Amino acid sequence: MRYIITLSLALFTFGSILAQSPADYTTRSVIDPALAPFYHGVASGDPLSDRVIIWTRITLNPPVSPLTVSWQMATDTLFNNIVQSGTASTDLAKDFTLKVDVTGLQPNSWYYYRFQYDNQKSIIGRTRTLPTGDVDSLRFAVASCQDYQNGFYNAYKHLSKTNDIDAIFFLGDYIYEYAASSSVGRDHEPSNEIITLSDYRTRHSQYKLDPDMRAVHQQYPFIAVWDDHETANDAYTDGAQNHDEATEGPFSERKTYSTQAYSEWMPIRLPEPNNTLKIYRKFKWGNLSDVYFMDTRLFDRSVQVGYLTNVNNAVVQDTSRHMLGWEQFGWFKNQLSASTSQWQIMAQQIMMAPLMFNILGNAFVINGDQWDAYPFERQRIFDFIMNNNIQNFVVLTGDIHSSWANDLPYAGYNASTGANSVGVEFVGTSITSSNALNLPGAFSLIQSINPHIKYADLEAHGYYVLDVNKTRTQGDWYYVSDINTQTATTSCAQAYYVNAGERHLRVGNCVTQVKKYPPLAPTSAPNSGLASEAQNLLVFNAYPNPFLDKVVVQYYLNQGEEIVLSVTDQNGKKVYSSNLGKCTPGLNYAHFDGSQLAKGTYIITLQGRKNYVGKTLLKVE
């Protein structure tokens, strides 16, 4: 029998940590003792006109459950003008993550916030609320697909310092579920493919510890939706390509674990507080724009077809198949009908414009995971927009690890004039996730078959900035020069826009931002004077718990030293002992086989020169 543990000792894992000092970011994420006990930094998200979610994770050794953390929100970085404050509690059941929905704020305002436990403070975060009434302009960075193993977050390093956007839209694949396999020294933690709640929590922890990830969350509010890899590759409502129920258990359990961890570790406000499976929601920027964040993955998507599937395939032609499902589709239609904003922006995961391929006169769906394989629901959306004369429809997309600028063709579409386009689509490339090789002539071939596609880049990494005002909405694609090292430059490569009242794209010039933004939050670590007091054995983790046989132990050392692992029973009798030898600074592993132990409770201990840590383990049959 396989045990899936939801409240295991793995809650204290910090992910992949090999560097020996807080300044050494040459390989993987590090624990900075000066950030204790808020090692994962802070984040904010889902802003409204009078409120915003603020987030942190507190890690104590030994843990305290439950515990209470205080927080403050101010209009200045010195916290001379505190506008809201309070306390909030967290515990083991929440993985010691903490979210506060701070209310009573002013619209269109920037704020600074921080958390405190005893005399230790978090870094200061910066966030903002949404405007109301007449709004002139907005700027958002749109990002997706950040496989930790595939490279460094240089795009986020650039974004965290630019100070020229209002928020970040994240369109999915925040984490990846795959087992450890990195060519740049950033192996996943845990090293296995993640399946259990403990696994998903550990993987989120690792991603949040990346210094550039932490920095960008510190400076801007995120509005995020998941894609497939937050659960498993090519996920749909009741399964996934990368899930085998025979060996990995029911997909419904895996989906429950992944969405619970997502809710805990992301600064998201659930539309239904106790329903972690429902995340589609709307955000309103005054009279300028409504943005609808959709779920094209887990909520009610039908199973995909394969690659290069004939469009006349019976499954593709099944009118009952859907990407959104009737409930979400009905909500979307009602929101569009009721909106009084100028721009209607649909933020979602999967490329909506057709991307077809012809073989001997037959049309084929290139990617059965995209909207092409769900043509009837896409047509229902297009029909509703055109039949109801909904203007200024813009789709934002991630997922495909490449950049595209598309018209959305309707019956009678004219590629030369843009006539009979439903709207436009801006598709962003990946932050780091692997993409296609841009073979010579690839775009020309694609465009010859799909003339509504106006631009594509198949190999660059980065993000795009969506610049919205009353006359046009523009996408500017920013690419980083390298993701394999941490030395990179970032520049704007291409721009396309759609005029208000039109439905097709035009070539533009990258926007030079002159809008005044408030100062970035200070990046200095708040507890540097306390760092010398940190124990050498900073983190301890053992899993699975309960266990049947083998137990994996993880521990973090600030300095190298000799470590002894011991296991005792409830009566204090030592039943196992192993000298692990001189262990290196950073994250270390050990194993012991408890298969011969009797059912019951045990204490596992790691002993160093000056201190030790211990945890309770439960042996089951």
Side-chain angles (χ1 to χ4, degrees):
M1 181 180 293
R2 178 166 144 213
Y3 288 83
I4 299 178
I5 309 304
T6 59
L7 297 179
S8 73
L9 299 176
L11 306 182
F12 304 99
T13 293
F14 281 91
S16 300
I17 308 156
L18 294 183
Q20 298 184 24
S21 70
D24 181 7
Y25 294 154
T26 57
T27 54
R28 294 184 271 179
S29 300
V30 298
I31 292 176
D32 185 347
L35 298 180
F38 303 102
Y39 302 100
H40 296 86
V42 298
S44 69
D46 281 17
L48 301 178
S49 61
D50 66 341
R51 67 193 63 197
V52 66
I53 297 284
I54 59 174
W55 176 96
T56 192
R57 205 266 189 168
I58 181 168
T59 307
L60 301 178
N61 185 25
V64 177
S65 181
L67 58 85
T68 299
V69 175
S70 62
W71 58 270
Q72 296 174 321
M73 184 165 283
T75 59
D76 63 296
T77 59
L78 298 177
F79 286 77
N80 291 322
N81 183 32
I82 296 173
V83 296
Q84 294 286 13
S85 63
T87 61
S89 63
T90 186
D91 54 31
L92 186 68
K94 299 175 184 175
D95 199 16
F96 294 101
T97 61
L98 190 144
K99 290 197 290 189
V100 181
D101 200 352
V102 183
T103 60
L105 304 177
Q106 295 300 308
N108 199 30
S109 299
W110 288 87
Y111 293 98
Y112 302 90
Y113 63 95
R114 65 187 178 189
F115 298 88
Q116 181 169 336
Y117 181 80
D118 287 342
N119 63 339
Q120 293 174 296
K121 296 182 177 66
S122 71
I123 55 176
I124 296 171
R126 186 184 72 154
T127 191
R128 67 161 306 162
T129 54
L130 303 188
T132 58
D134 188 39
V135 178
D136 179 70
S137 62
L138 301 163
R139 278 174 64 83
F140 310 107
V142 184
S144 64
C145 305
Q146 53 187 35
D147 188 346
Y148 183 89
Q149 297 194 118
N150 204 57
F152 293 95
Y153 295 155
N154 294 325
Y156 287 148
K157 179 184 295 184
H158 172 78
L159 264 177
S160 67
K161 299 174 182 178
T162 55
N163 198 19
D164 69 347
I165 58 171
D166 297 297
I168 293 177
F169 293 171
F170 192 85
L171 301 185
D173 293 345
Y174 189 94
I175 64 170
Y176 277 70
E177 84 279 17
Y178 297 132
S181 177
S182 176
S183 62
V184 294
R186 285 165 63 90
D187 280 343
H188 269 151
E189 296 291 343
S191 59
N192 56 279
E193 179 186 333
I194 55 175
I195 298 173
T196 69
L197 177 58
S198 175
D199 289 343
Y200 283 104
R201 285 168 163 173
T202 301
R203 191 65 56 83
H204 273 282
S205 170
Q206 179 186 28
Y207 277 56
K208 279 290 198 301
L209 281 171
D210 181 274
D212 297 321
M213 185 88 256
R214 189 167 58 219
V216 78
H217 271 296
Q218 179 186 6
Q219 302 297 347
Y220 302 108
F222 270 57
I223 304 178
V225 286
W226 55 54
D227 195 14
D228 51 343
H229 289 288
E230 286 89 347
T231 301
N233 181 56
D234 282 358
Y236 50 97
T237 188
D238 54 9
Q241 175 275 328
N242 192 27
H243 184 81
D244 182 355
E245 294 208 341
T247 59
E248 297 175 323
F251 181 74
S252 59
E253 287 187 359
R254 186 174 186 175
K255 186 165 75 166
T256 298
Y257 297 146
S258 70
T259 58
Q260 178 179 335
Y262 188 90
S263 176
E264 291 167 346
W265 281 86
M266 296 295 290
I268 183 175
R269 182 188 297 105
L270 296 174
E272 298 175 3
N274 296 318
N275 184 0
T276 61
L277 295 174
K278 186 174 182 178
I279 62 168
Y280 61 85
R281 58 213 193 277
K282 183 185 83 168
F283 295 86
K284 183 176 183 62
W285 277 265
N287 63 357
L288 185 60
S289 177
D290 286 350
V291 185
Y292 311 94
F293 283 78
M294 313 298 291
D295 178 4
T296 63
R297 277 296 176 190
L298 298 182
F299 188 72
D300 201 11
R301 177 204 262 248
S302 303
V303 64
Q304 299 93 332
V305 298
Y307 289 90
L308 282 179
T309 300
N310 193 298
V311 296
N312 294 317
N313 177 277
V315 178
V316 175
Q317 292 299 311
D318 184 351
T319 60
S320 67
R321 295 177 69 251
H322 41 74
M323 184 84 78
L324 304 178
W326 286 110
E327 179 182 332
Q328 187 176 188
F329 180 50
W331 172 87
F332 183 47
K333 291 195 302 181
N334 290 338
Q335 295 295 323
L336 287 173
S337 297
S339 177
T340 57
S341 295
Q342 180 179 3
W343 294 96
Q344 305 300 313
I345 300 177
M346 180 185 188
Q348 50 96 61
Q349 297 76 35
I350 313 300
M351 185 159 156
M352 181 170 278
L355 179 59
M356 310 299 287
F357 192 73
N358 286 326
I359 302 177
L360 299 177
N362 295 310
F364 284 78
V365 173
I366 294 178
N367 183 0
D369 191 48
Q370 295 181 186
W371 277 94
D372 281 340
Y374 303 80
F376 290 96
E377 188 172 59
R378 178 174 62 187
Q379 190 63 41
R380 283 191 288 268
I381 294 173
F382 287 2
D383 287 344
F384 182 82
I385 290 170
M386 299 299 279
N387 293 339
N388 291 274
N389 196 30
I390 294 172
Q391 298 291 316
N392 304 320
F393 180 63
V394 176
V395 176
L396 312 181
T397 300
D399 179 70
I400 199 173
H401 306 181
S402 47
S403 302
W404 307 75
N406 307 319
D407 288 346
L408 297 174
Y410 199 62
Y413 171 74
N414 186 313
S416 298
T417 66
N420 291 326
S421 177
V422 174
V424 303
E425 180 180 29
F426 299 100
V427 183
T429 187
S430 62
I431 295 293
T432 57
S433 301
S434 59
N435 46 22
L437 178 65
N438 194 4
L439 298 175
F443 176 60
S444 297
L445 176 61
I446 290 170
Q447 194 175 46
S448 67
I449 304 170
N450 304 273
H452 55 276
I453 296 176
K454 304 304 178 183
Y455 167 71
D457 185 291
L458 306 181
E459 61 179 340
H461 296 279
Y463 61 92
Y464 65 93
V465 171
L466 192 75
D467 192 280
V468 185
N469 61 37
K470 293 182 178 181
T471 62
R472 60 100 183 100
T473 288
Q474 177 163 314
D476 292 349
W477 280 265
Y478 283 81
Y479 299 142
V480 295
S481 59
D482 183 32
I483 62 169
N484 294 320
T485 68
Q486 292 184 289
T487 302
T489 59
T490 303
S491 58
C492 185
Q494 186 64 59
Y496 274 84
Y497 69 93
V498 56
N499 283 323
E502 295 183 343
R503 297 180 181 269
H504 62 275
L505 288 170
R506 299 175 182 271
V507 179
N509 297 310
C510 294
V511 174
T512 301
Q513 180 54 232
V514 295
K515 184 177 179 181
K516 179 70 173 178
Y517 285 83
L520 293 168
T523 58
S524 57
N527 302 314
S528 56
L530 304 172
S532 61
E533 301 176 10
Q535 292 190 110
N536 191 34
L537 274 165
L538 186 62
V539 178
F540 180 69
N541 171 41
Y543 60 89
N545 184 31
F547 70 96
L548 279 173
D549 40 44
K550 293 182 180 179
V551 175
V552 179
V553 182
Q554 294 176 314
Y555 55 100
Y556 181 82
L557 296 173
N558 284 323
Q559 298 177 344
E561 66 169 317
E562 188 173 280
I563 299 295
V564 175
L565 184 153
S566 302
V567 181
T568 58
D569 62 18
Q570 297 180 79
N571 299 318
K573 179 182 177 181
K574 186 176 292 186
V575 297
Y576 180 90
S577 181
S578 175
N579 188 323
L580 304 180
K582 182 68 177 289
C583 301
T584 60
L587 189 67
N588 292 268
Y589 289 88
H591 305 79
F592 81 90
D593 188 344
S595 59
Q596 301 305 311
L597 298 179
K599 177 181 177 181
T601 301
Y602 296 86
I603 304 296
I604 182 170
T605 304
L606 291 179
Q607 176 74 54
R609 289 189 302 270
K610 295 182 178 180
N611 58 83
Y612 70 94
V613 286
K615 297 293 181 185
T616 300
L617 290 176
L618 179 63
K619 171 65 185 295
V620 294
E621 294 179 348

